[in-house]
Amino acid sequence: MATGSRTVRPRSSVWLSERKTPKRKGDQQPVGLDHLKIVAATMRLLDAEGLSGFSMRRLAAELGVTAMSVYWYVETKDHLLELALDAAMGEIALPIEAVGPVEGLEHAPAEPRDWREQLRQVASEYRRVLVRHPWLSALLGEYLNIGPNAVVFQHAALAVMRNSGLPDDRITSALALVYEFVYGFGTIEGRFAARCRAAGVTQEELFHEMMGTVEDRMEFDEARKIMEARGGGTVQEMQDRDFAFALDLAIAGIEALRER
């Protein structure tokens, strides 16, 4: 893609790279390392310190090796982040009805669940992983996300939505509604939780502190009434209630348009 005199090239992907392990002349494979250990350590660091605190040197120190040892397995830092992204996508527990037979499981459920319940599982699991890994939402906007776990997730989501009865030319639009809702909800929820951890306070403490700062301001009177009617004794309960009802609204919209 050309912009004026500047050529903008798409970011390379580990999934499209022909050189998975860039061995250098004279290098020997580091003992005790493998892709799984490196990716697991990457995710631990990202969970603890976020993207801003992550570096290949920091990762090497965590593993007790040199940075060059890490590069024996991954070509670039971007490739490593892609591997971590796909590993996180692999934590999403998908409806067995949507992914097909699973090795080690002799029989599928006798009565497959309704597509609405399957969609609730997909959405709830996607939210859980976004909250568990606050760095994930940033990577989803940076990389192609075409790793094996992401492909399984995509196929399962398509199967669930196809079972809704929507015509094929409306399936991607319906999925976009669910994806973007969960992405936004989970991103904000995850960042709020991460902020609380960094500040050393509970979510309830920070929430009540924030509400207290506007307690005497008249322009927030209506918002306070709505918050009181919202229900839920904890921040988590409030978030769960909001998420469940918003998802019900999305499902109801899909049903209504399907009938039309």
Side-chain angles (χ1 to χ4, degrees):
M1 182 188 305
T3 306
S5 59
R6 181 185 175 191
T7 300
V8 180
R9 294 182 176 85
R11 188 193 298 271
S12 65
S13 170
V14 67
W15 309 112
L16 302 177
S17 174
E18 297 179 357
R19 189 170 55 146
K20 303 299 183 186
T21 54
K23 307 180 183 73
R24 294 170 173 79
K25 186 177 180 180
D27 285 350
Q28 292 184 346
Q29 183 175 3
V31 177
L33 276 187
D34 55 42
H35 271 102
L36 291 177
K37 290 181 179 179
I38 292 172
V39 172
T42 297
M43 295 177 73
R44 288 197 303 271
L45 281 177
L46 289 170
D47 287 343
E49 303 177 11
L51 281 168
S52 61
F54 180 79
S55 69
M56 298 298 271
R57 289 185 179 276
R58 180 71 182 85
L59 174 62
E62 175 75 11
L63 291 166
V65 299
T66 66
M68 293 303 294
S69 296
V70 177
Y71 282 115
W72 203 94
Y73 287 93
V74 290
E75 187 174 350
T76 67
K77 176 182 173 181
D78 284 331
H79 284 187
L80 181 54
L81 292 176
E82 278 190 281
L83 292 171
L85 164 59
D86 195 63
M89 296 296 293
E91 295 178 359
I92 299 174
L94 297 168
I96 189 172
E97 303 96 330
V99 298
V102 177
E103 184 178 354
L105 187 64
E106 296 181 0
H107 302 289
E111 295 183 3
R113 293 173 302 159
D114 182 81
W115 69 271
R116 301 165 188 82
E117 289 305 310
Q118 294 180 39
L119 185 59
R120 288 189 180 94
Q121 179 180 342
V122 170
S124 297
E125 281 290 309
Y126 187 25
R127 170 199 175 194
R128 180 184 64 82
V129 172
L130 284 166
V131 174
R132 181 179 182 183
H133 304 301
W135 46 269
L136 182 60
S137 57
L139 297 190
L140 286 167
E142 288 288 328
Y143 298 101
L144 290 176
N145 197 25
I146 56 173
N149 289 320
V151 170
V152 170
F153 173 80
Q154 179 189 41
H155 286 174
L158 285 171
V160 170
M161 195 58 73
R162 183 171 284 113
N163 289 339
S164 72
L166 280 174
D168 284 355
D169 64 343
R170 292 292 181 263
I171 286 176
T172 56
S173 299
L175 280 176
L177 166 66
V178 177
Y179 285 163
E180 297 307 319
F181 153 61
V182 179
Y183 177 88
F185 195 102
T187 296
I188 293 174
E189 185 180 0
R191 289 182 178 177
F192 183 75
R195 180 182 176 186
C196 292
R197 289 193 296 270
V201 298
T202 67
Q203 295 192 55
E204 280 68 38
E205 288 171 336
L206 184 56
F207 174 76
H208 290 302
E209 179 183 339
M210 294 167 60
M211 294 300 294
T213 61
V214 298
E215 185 175 5
D216 298 324
R217 298 182 60 173
M218 294 180 59
E219 62 267 35
F220 291 99
D221 285 350
E222 190 64 24
R224 279 194 296 272
K225 293 177 183 178
I226 296 298
M227 291 295 290
E228 290 172 1
R230 179 190 200 184
T234 67
V235 170
Q236 187 64 62
E237 289 174 357
M238 296 177 196
Q239 291 168 337
D240 289 345
R241 288 166 64 95
D242 285 348
F243 183 85
F245 187 63
L247 184 56
D248 282 346
L249 291 176
I251 291 174
I254 292 170
E255 290 178 307
L257 291 176
R258 179 196 61 185
E259 297 303 324
R260 183 185 301 177

